[in-house]
Amino acid sequence: MPHPTRIFNTVEELSDAWDKFKLDLIEQNKEWLNIQYVGKDGDRKADPLKVPMTMEGFERFCYNNYGCVNQYFDNKEGYYDDFVTICRAIRKEIRENQIIGGLLGVYNPSITQRLNGLTDKQQVNLKTDATPFNPFDVDVPSDNGTI
């Protein structure tokens, strides 16, 4: 049974919102600029940066344009079972965008790794068997070195 207060009634409507979010990201690129001064005269050059896809960004976009969307992804009580596939696809596209951006160095690789649980976790156990130094164990000739 569908939830009585759905903001998206069909998978196509949510998919359309996702496509509009991606267009919004392209517009946001114009707001985030990489400023460089190039050439012998130090000419100012402003290049737009690629804004990464995030779940938080999509939720904000939907909230501003449609309403709260997180219930579609949480699917508590099964009200949004018919949206599970599109929600999974959206999450995977976000993750793929972040991973590729991190691998290519467009986004900060360290942050990308942490956001996506890709950190390399290694446990190192170090055991040493060293005997403590005792300065009184040194062999000193009893005749004070006379030959």
Side-chain angles (χ1 to χ4, degrees), residues 95 98-99 102-103 108-120:
R95 180 178 162 96
Q98 292 175 354
I99 291 171
L103 288 170
N108 183 310
S110 177
I111 293 172
T112 301
Q113 289 170 355
R114 277 185 267 144
L115 285 174
N116 291 288
L118 299 174
T119 55
D120 186 18

Side-chain angles (χ1 to χ4, degrees), residues 94-108:
I94 289 170
R95 180 178 162 96
E96 178 189 33
N97 174 270
Q98 292 175 354
I99 291 171
I100 290 172
L103 288 170
L104 295 177
V106 176
Y107 310 143
N108 183 310

Side-chain angles (χ1 to χ4, degrees), residues 3-147:
H3 194 273
T5 60
R6 281 187 174 187
I7 57 173
F8 300 115
N9 291 311
T10 66
V11 170
E12 290 75 24
E13 290 176 5
L14 179 57
S15 181
D16 184 53
W18 174 244
D19 290 338
K20 287 179 181 174
F21 169 67
K22 292 189 282 187
L23 291 174
D24 183 66
L25 287 178
I26 293 169
E27 287 300 310
Q28 284 185 50
N29 292 344
K30 298 172 187 173
E31 297 173 27
W32 298 92
L33 301 175
N34 180 30
I35 308 296
Q36 297 180 51
Y37 296 92
V38 296
K40 65 179 177 133
D41 297 326
D43 296 327
R44 185 179 189 269
K45 183 179 177 191
D47 295 318
L49 296 171
K50 182 166 175 31
V51 175
M53 293 179 184
T54 64
M55 193 64 213
E56 291 79 5
F58 182 55
E59 288 177 356
R60 178 214 34 89
F61 174 82
C62 286
Y63 183 78
N64 291 342
N65 294 284
Y66 306 99
C68 190
V69 74
N70 65 317
Q71 68 271 17
Y72 289 84
F73 291 87
D74 297 341
N75 193 25
K76 292 182 180 170
E77 300 179 28
Y79 284 127
Y80 303 95
D81 283 344
D82 45 336
F83 289 86
V84 168
T85 302
I86 185 68
C87 289
R88 184 176 296 128
I90 289 170
R91 279 196 171 123
K92 291 205 177 277
E93 189 172 346
I94 289 170
R95 180 178 162 96
E96 178 189 33
N97 174 270
Q98 292 175 354
I99 291 171
I100 290 172
L103 288 170
L104 295 177
V106 176
Y107 310 143
N108 183 310
S110 177
I111 293 172
T112 301
Q113 289 170 355
R114 277 185 267 144
L115 285 174
N116 291 288
L118 299 174
T119 55
D120 186 18
K121 297 176 183 172
Q122 296 179 1
Q123 183 174 349
V124 177
N125 293 324
L126 181 63
K127 182 179 179 185
T128 60
D129 291 326
T131 56
F133 174 69
N134 184 348
F136 299 107
D137 285 345
V138 177
D139 289 332
V140 179
S142 59
D143 61 358
N144 290 331
T146 56
I147 301 185

